[in-house]
Amino acid sequence: MAVGNRRRRSAVAVVTVGAIFAFGAGLYGLNASGSWPFPSRYCWGAWEEDSGPSFLGEEALAKSGSERRSEESPPPSPVRANATCTLAVASSVADADSTHPLTFDERVVLEYRPVPAGAEERRAWMAHFFDGSASPLPDGLNGLVADDRAMLVLPDSCDADGRPSVVTIRSESWGDGHLGKKAMPFSIGSRMDVARMLVAAAEATMTKAGCTPGKPLRLTSPLAVTAEKDEPAAGTLCRIPGLTFEFGKGSAYQQQVGAVGQRLQTCSVVWRARGVPDEPAAQFVMAAEPRIVALFDGLPEGVGEGLVRATCDGRPTVFYGNVEPGLKVLRRPDDRQMFVKFVESVSKRIGCKVGEAT
């Protein structure tokens, strides 16, 4: 475990994505522990102290008793396809209702791996990273980013075990006191901050894995933020006729309409309650980018399985829908007809006839 330098400094280093990675390979390569006057580096050199979002800077250490720490697995390599790094900030404050302090733990988990092989695990992975809150990455980067999560599909040179490799970032946050351990919302930073962290992590891990493409990844264009806020799920989902549920009054289900484009459309539903992590309940995706389409390879196919393929304007395209058991009892009509309605609506919007679902 590498413990970050806790010295407070007034100057904040402004580092571009390219510089973050370049410094890791060069100037600061021999000072990864953060020995003064060198900044600490985290997650195999991907991220530098006092650069990017506030989570990497002094602001995150402003709470009482705060400290930053990181824990890394061995880095990815040509023979090691999985690697994980956790960067955490812990703090505590006095609890007026207890002799024990309130403790807080905010963390960012970085993972390099092929997408899960099993269908159930893959669907859970999809539910998290294709959440409607996430925006598509620009500049030909195949992935999505929100303020609390991000995913990037790596080039096929990084494929492992016949599956695409991905770099993901997700946040976790907990408060613990006399009321017990409670999950708390935690934003890593702005979407652009998180996107830059993601690209820097991808560059660092691909170098370790020996699968770096000929050109470096670049992130120069602004992000297109999803147009709609999350809202209570009621009646028709995702603005698509036929996706109808009987949620009832006071339902804890929230829906998020995400990207609605020619090559990507997302919408998600979660069950949300205070103090516990969101529980994914439904997911609907249309994707027509080859590397994103590849994420669905190996899943059971067919209308009854919630996955059909088509060629739309010469592009391989997937239509995907998954409804968890807790939400299925509220559906109207059945799963098959609901998925058919989704495919029909989206394929009509993008000008593509999907024969199997019509």
Side-chain angles (χ1 to χ4, degrees), residues 5-13 34-40 42 48-51 56-59 61 68:
N5 188 344
R6 301 171 193 165
R7 293 183 176 87
R8 306 296 178 86
R9 300 189 299 279
S10 59
V12 176
S35 301
W36 181 262
F38 301 105
S40 295
Y42 311 107
E48 183 180 292
E49 181 184 31
D50 290 337
S51 67
L56 294 175
E58 294 296 307
E59 183 179 336
L61 301 176
R68 184 185 288 117

Side-chain angles (χ1 to χ4, degrees), residues 15-348:
V15 185
T16 65
V17 170
I20 289 174
F21 179 66
F23 283 3
L27 177 60
Y28 295 118
L30 300 179
N31 297 280
S33 63
S35 301
W36 181 262
F38 301 105
S40 295
R41 300 196 64 83
Y42 311 107
C43 298
W44 315 294
W47 303 330
E48 183 180 292
E49 181 184 31
D50 290 337
S51 67
S54 60
F55 187 74
L56 294 175
E58 294 296 307
E59 183 179 336
L61 301 176
K63 299 174 184 177
S64 64
S66 62
E67 62 175 1
R68 184 185 288 117
R69 62 187 186 278
S70 67
E71 184 172 359
E72 303 171 357
S73 72
S77 73
V79 296
R80 185 184 302 111
N82 292 62
T84 303
C85 176
T86 300
L87 181 60
V89 173
S91 61
S92 63
V93 296
D95 186 350
D97 297 312
S98 173
T99 57
H100 298 285
L102 293 169
T103 60
F104 300 93
D105 189 310
E106 296 179 338
R107 55 184 55 202
V108 176
V109 181
L110 164 64
E111 193 168 18
Y112 174 102
R113 62 169 294 176
V115 291
E120 185 175 345
E121 186 183 5
R122 181 94 60 92
R123 290 188 183 104
W125 185 91
M126 296 277 187
H128 189 80
F129 291 106
F130 279 87
D131 187 84
S133 64
S135 299
L137 290 168
D139 301 323
L141 299 172
N142 294 297
L144 293 149
V145 61
D147 60 9
D148 64 347
R149 71 194 76 191
M151 174 274 291
L152 178 64
V153 190
L154 300 179
D156 57 12
S157 58
C158 299
D159 286 2
D161 300 324
R163 305 189 303 278
S165 289
V166 291
V167 171
T168 59
I169 298 172
R170 70 178 189 273
S171 72
E172 298 175 354
S173 181
W174 301 88
D176 200 356
H178 67 278
L179 295 178
K181 189 175 181 180
K182 304 291 184 182
M184 304 174 67
F186 168 49
S187 294
I188 302 168
S190 71
R191 290 170 191 254
M192 185 56 78
D193 280 340
V194 178
R196 289 184 178 123
M197 289 180 69
L198 180 69
V199 171
E203 290 279 16
T205 53
M206 286 192 299
T207 297
K208 298 288 187 183
C211 63
T212 303
K215 295 181 179 180
L217 305 180
R218 297 190 182 278
L219 180 64
T220 58
S221 302
L223 291 166
V225 178
T226 50
E228 302 186 34
K229 302 287 187 180
D230 64 327
E231 61 185 15
T236 299
L237 288 183
C238 306
R239 313 291 188 266
I240 294 178
L243 265 64
T244 307
F245 292 78
E246 295 178 344
F247 289 101
K249 188 176 181 180
S251 168
Y253 287 106
Q254 294 283 124
Q255 74 164 337
Q256 174 80 62
V257 177
V260 181
Q262 288 297 111
R263 298 196 177 193
L264 183 67
Q265 180 166 338
T266 61
C267 182
S268 57
V269 181
V270 299
W271 185 84
R272 182 169 295 157
R274 188 173 181 179
V276 297
D278 290 352
E279 182 179 331
Q283 192 80 31
F284 296 95
V285 177
M286 179 279 294
E289 292 288 351
R291 290 303 290 164
I292 293 181
V293 168
L295 298 176
F296 297 85
D297 291 351
L299 288 177
E301 296 187 18
V303 172
E305 299 289 351
L307 178 63
V308 298
R309 297 176 182 270
T311 300
C312 300
D313 195 22
R315 299 189 301 269
T317 303
V318 295
F319 299 82
Y320 170 79
N322 184 58
V323 179
E324 296 296 330
L327 190 57
K328 282 185 177 182
V329 297
L330 305 179
R331 69 189 187 278
R332 194 178 72 238
D334 61 26
D335 291 351
R336 180 184 177 90
Q337 290 302 311
M338 191 171 296
F339 182 64
V340 167
K341 293 294 185 183
F342 166 72
V343 176
E344 287 178 344
S345 175
V346 178
S347 60
K348 181 179 180 181

